[in-house]
């Protein structure tokens, strides 16, 4: 159905498609939300996706070696177990295939509008609608759900000369599959979760790989193995078995929270394990020292790999810790003045996490963007709603991130919360639902209290978990079952609801 908003000045002039709910993004979060709507019979929604397929992270990260670092039995939807995971930690193609198959199984693909890059979303008080402009047309929605991802927009480092590099430059999240690295001199900038997967995958085929490290990471062994056909058969005929494995993995991983957020001493054995892993895999004391972090394990994401250290220690690999002074047309010069010829630069330099690009596109009641409102740090109620942004819900919003377990667990918690909010609107006949500033302040205080003394704040590192003020606005700083409890149902007392028959007023921006 198409319609035109009729209110003056701030109303959109274009004809637009009307829907009840518009979801931005088709990664785990957008798909999870869409499936929840479908499962309870809601059909009046669209999933706006800028790319040409579902999958989000797992569509975009096609670099060699890309794989999950939480076991697939846990890193998957609880309602869509996959008995056919080929490995305990599956690789990108299998995870992407799983997301595609799940979207098809639950009939979500027909709701997807691909090639719809959301360029702006603006709330109109008179019409009580979000006007969402995309590269595939304009949509009017009563409810807007942003599932645009926290690790979806790559960051590019500001290195002198990088733009004038004559070779190939690619971000790990925008890999050029057609480019053959065989026999090339490759520079990898960054040593985070993506870099430690890329380096061992390309080291055997390249002429040389130079790893430019700013901060070393703690790395523990990866207990990866193929899933035997018998196990897969058992998972298929006894689904409860796979559920039990999932529960075990979940509980095991929650123990890490004890050390990270409650009692630091519980991290000691984990740090010892990482030290022993490094000691065993790297014999050269100088290289070992360069690879040893000076902060407490857990402060930055704990990485898992069995082949990163051997790859860095290989004869055709070099670890550079001096920092990069400049990039020239065919080389990189480090701060010690050493120039290394380079054919391809791989930027494993992460994502916009505390400065989400989608926040610059969403305008609330008073015309300000989420980015404006968040200029002093991301604020929300229960990581999901923001005062001044009626009928807007955020999936994987502020303080939902986890480093120790599956993001899908957090996503499913949020989906339940948002779904309950939508059902509450239906049950109470509400046109508008908006959280209060008071609720936001209370949630901010709760997060601050929970974050106090945690390894993320006091572990002695700088990480993308913290914003420019050093505040934790990205991580959930407690057991994840507490987040689930907090988001099980809508905290109705923290919301102002406007009945559908109440007179509307447009507040001009
Ligand atoms: C390499 C890598 C490995 C990871 N491994 C793990 C792991 O092992 N375990 C774990 O728990 N987490 C892992 N993560 C985190 C991972 O991002 C989350 O687990 C999860 O996939 C996030 O899902 P999402 O739907 O929130 O975001 P995404 O998967 O990023 O999806 C967001 C979607 O929104 C779309 N989008 C964004 N902006 C717009 C716009 N303006 N208009 C239209 N569409 C838009 C994007 O194209 C994308 O499809 C990993 C992340 C990366 C990058």
């Amino acid at each position: 159905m198409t319609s035109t908003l009729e209110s003056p000045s701030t109303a959109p002039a274009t004809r637009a498609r009307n829907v009840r709910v518009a979801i931005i993004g088709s990664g785990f979060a957008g798909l999870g939300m869409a499936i929840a709507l479908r499962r309870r019979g809601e059909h009046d929604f669209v999933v706006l996706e800028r790319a040409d397929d579902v999958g989000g992270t797992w569509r975009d990260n096609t670099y060699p070696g890309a794989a999950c670092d939480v076991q697939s039995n846990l890193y998957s939807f609880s309602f869509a177990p996959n008995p056919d995971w080929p490995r305990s930690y599956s690789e990108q193609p299998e995870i992407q295939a799983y997301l595609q198959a799940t979207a098809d199984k639950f009939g979500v693909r027909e709701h997807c509008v691909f090639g719809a890059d959301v360029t702006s979303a603006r709330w109109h008080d008179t019409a009580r609608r979000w006007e969402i402009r995309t590269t595939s047309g304009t949509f009017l929605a009563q409810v807007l759900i942003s599932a645009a991802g926290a690790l979806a927009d790559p960051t590019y480092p500001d290195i002198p000369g990088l733009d004038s590099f004559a070779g190939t430059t690619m971000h790990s999240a925008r890999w050029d599959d057609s480019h053959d690295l065989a026999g090339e001199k490759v520079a990898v900038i960054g040593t985070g979760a993506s870099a430690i997967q890329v380096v061992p995958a390309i080291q055997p085929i390249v002429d040389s790989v130079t790893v430019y490290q700013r901060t070393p990471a703690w790395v523990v062994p990866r207990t990866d193995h193929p899933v035997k056909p018998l196990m897969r058969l058992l998972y298929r005929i006894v689904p409860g078995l796979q559920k039990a494995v999932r529960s075990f993995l979940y509980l095991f991983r929650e123990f890490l929270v004890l050390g990270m957020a409650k009692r630091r001493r519980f991290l000691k054995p984990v740090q010892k394990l990482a030290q022993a892993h490094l000691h065993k895999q790297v014999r050269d004391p100088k290289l070992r020292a360069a690879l040893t972090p000076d902060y407490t394990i857990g402060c930055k994401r704990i990485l898992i790999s069995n082949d990163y250290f051997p790859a860095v220690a290989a004869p055709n690999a070099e670890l550079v810790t001096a920092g990069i002074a400049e990039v020239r047309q065919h080389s990189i010069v480090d701060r010690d003045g050493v120039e290394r010829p380079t054919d391809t630069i791989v930027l494993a330099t992460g994502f916009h996490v505390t400065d989400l690009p989608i926040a610059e596109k969403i305008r609330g009641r008073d015309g300000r963007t989420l980015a404006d409102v968040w200029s002093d740090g991301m604020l929300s109620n229960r990581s999901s709603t923001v005062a001044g942004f009626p009928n807007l819900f955020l999936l994987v919003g502020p303080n939902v991130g986890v480093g120790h377990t599956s993001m899908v667990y957090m996503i499913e918690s949020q989906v339940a919360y948002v779904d309950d909010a939508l059902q509450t609107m239906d049950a109470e006949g509400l046109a508008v639902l908006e959280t209060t500033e008071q609720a936001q302040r209370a949630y901010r205080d709760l997060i601050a209290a929970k974050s106090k003394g945690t390894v993320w704040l006091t572990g002695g590192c700088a990480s993308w978990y913290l914003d420019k003020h050093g505040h934790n606005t990205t991580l959930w700083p407690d057991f994840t079952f507490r987040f689930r409890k907090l988001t099980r149902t809508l905290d109705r007392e923290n919301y102002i609801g406007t009945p559908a028959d109440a007179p509307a007023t447009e507040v001009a921006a």
Side-chain angles (χ1 to χ4, degrees), residues 25 27-29 49-50 56-57 59 68-69 75 116-118 148-149 396 407:
F28 263 112
E49 171 55 61
R50 64 185 172 192
T57 295
R59 177 199 63 231
C68 56
D69 52 17
Y75 189 58
D117 191 350
V118 173
V396 190
M407 272 308 295

Side-chain angles (χ1 to χ4, degrees), residues 57-92:
T57 295
W58 301 101
R59 177 199 63 231
D60 290 342
N61 287 268
T62 60
Y63 60 80
C68 56
D69 52 17
V70 170
Q71 292 91 336
S72 294
N73 275 339
L74 184 57
Y75 189 58
S76 45
F77 289 121
S78 61
F79 55 82
N82 175 15
D84 293 322
W85 289 120
R87 305 192 65 81
S88 50
Y89 293 85
S90 298
E91 294 173 356
Q92 177 269 334

Side-chain angles (χ1 to χ4, degrees), residues 24-30 48-51 53 55-61 63 66-70 75 116-119 147-153 194 197 301 351 358 361 395-396 402 405-408 411:
I24 307 174
S26 65
F28 263 112
L48 305 172
E49 171 55 61
R50 64 185 172 192
D53 197 359
T57 295
W58 301 101
R59 177 199 63 231
D60 290 342
N61 287 268
Y63 60 80
C68 56
D69 52 17
V70 170
Y75 189 58
D117 191 350
V118 173
T119 51
L151 305 178
D153 295 277
S194 300
Q197 294 183 337
R301 193 178 177 90
F351 301 88
I358 196 70
K361 296 173 183 159
L395 297 179
V396 190
V402 286
T405 190
S406 169
M407 272 308 295
V408 181
I411 287 169

Side-chain angles (χ1 to χ4, degrees), residues 150-286:
L151 305 178
D153 295 277
T155 46
Y156 293 86
D158 190 13
I159 302 172
L162 185 58
D163 287 345
S164 56
F165 182 63
T168 304
T169 307
M170 50 189 172
H171 194 283
S172 53
R174 297 289 181 270
W175 197 262
D176 178 359
D177 297 309
S178 66
H179 182 78
D180 186 5
L181 292 175
E184 286 199 345
K185 297 184 193 314
V186 180
V188 177
I189 302 179
T191 50
S194 300
I196 77 150
Q197 294 183 337
V198 171
V199 172
I202 64 170
Q203 176 268 322
I205 61 155
V206 298
D207 174 67
S208 68
V209 56
T210 308
V211 180
Y212 291 89
Q213 170 187 284
R214 196 166 54 183
T215 319
W218 285 112
V219 182
V220 296
R222 186 180 179 87
T223 53
D224 189 20
H225 56 82
V227 182
K228 295 205 170 92
L230 176 64
M231 200 63 184
R232 291 192 220 172
L233 182 68
L234 279 173
Y235 282 162
R236 192 171 284 283
I237 54 180
V238 193
L241 178 64
Q242 195 170 21
K243 240 185 189 166
V245 172
R246 181 182 173 98
S247 303
F248 169 78
L249 292 171
Y250 171 74
L251 289 174
F252 180 77
R253 284 178 170 275
E254 281 307 284
F255 270 110
L256 271 175
V257 179
L258 271 182
M260 289 169 166
K262 313 284 175 194
R263 299 268 180 280
R264 191 68 57 84
R265 67 171 185 278
F266 287 113
L267 283 178
K268 276 207 173 123
V270 190
Q271 188 157 320
K272 283 222 161 79
L273 174 72
Q275 277 161 340
H277 188 49
L278 174 62
H279 207 268
K280 191 171 154 207
Q281 294 202 313
V282 179
R283 290 275 153 227
D284 173 7
K286 217 171 132 206

Side-chain angles (χ1 to χ4, degrees), residues 293-308:
D294 62 1
Y295 55 85
T296 309
I297 196 165
C299 183
K300 279 168 167 288
R301 193 178 177 90
I302 303 174
L303 305 185
I304 58 166
S305 177
N306 296 336
D307 48 13
Y308 174 64

